[in-house]
Amino acid sequence: MRYFIQFLLLLTLINPLYAETIDATIFTTPKQEQRYQALIGEIRCPVCQGQSIGGSNASLAQDLRAKVRSLILQDKTNDDIRQFMVDRYGDFVVFKPPMNANTYLLWFLPFAFLAFAMFLLMRSFGRKEPAINLDTSKAKELLK
């Protein structure tokens, strides 16, 4: 019984370490809440780099969610909110980066690589070496 009580005591001490906060967001209209959910899914967490700010528990992601909420309540458009985040954190912060001089390689390099691979593939099919004609009489003489 003593070990069981110690185990329960240990569980009560460890449990707060894994507790997560729940964002209690209050909006005036359901449309604002839909915009909020869509935007926090589109903006990447600068700390986690693979998650959206909606799925991240980092403190910066919590701050960014609060900022998105405040900008929505200020009646900013989705484009204005995205532009605010891009101005502050760079093009990396959005999952769909804009097409500009800094991101041309990101947009067009896969297509250039595909075109180059297709060129090499077509070139390898087009170049067929002629079959080697061996004169069997010469081969027989060499084998003697």
Side-chain angles (χ1 to χ4, degrees), residues 96-110:
K96 297 177 186 174
M99 191 177 299
N100 58 29
N102 295 334
T103 59
Y104 283 146
L105 280 177
L106 176 68
W107 284 100
F108 295 116
L109 193 60

Side-chain angles (χ1 to χ4, degrees), residues 24-130:
T25 55
I26 299 172
F27 294 101
T28 56
T29 64
K31 186 178 179 181
Q32 287 179 337
E33 187 171 355
Q34 290 173 350
R35 284 182 55 209
Y36 173 77
Q37 293 299 327
L39 281 170
I40 65 171
E42 293 175 10
I43 298 171
R44 181 178 303 184
C45 177
V47 175
C48 304
Q49 298 182 1
Q51 291 181 323
S52 66
I53 60 172
S56 175
N57 289 328
S59 61
L60 181 61
Q62 293 172 357
D63 294 342
L64 291 178
R65 285 193 299 264
K67 187 62 178 177
V68 167
R69 181 182 175 279
S70 70
L71 290 173
I72 287 175
L73 292 176
Q74 293 173 11
D75 290 329
K76 299 287 184 181
T77 65
N78 289 356
D79 291 333
D80 290 341
I81 295 170
R82 281 188 212 99
Q83 189 59 45
F84 173 82
M85 295 296 176
V86 167
D87 290 344
R88 194 160 195 186
Y89 297 102
D91 289 332
F92 176 77
V93 79
V94 287
F95 278 113
K96 297 177 186 174
M99 191 177 299
N100 58 29
N102 295 334
T103 59
Y104 283 146
L105 280 177
L106 176 68
W107 284 100
F108 295 116
L109 193 60
F111 297 114
F113 180 72
L114 180 64
F116 183 68
M118 292 297 290
F119 169 74
L120 289 178
L121 183 66
M122 293 299 188
R123 189 172 145 199
S124 69
F125 282 137
R127 185 190 302 171
K128 292 189 177 183
E129 296 179 10

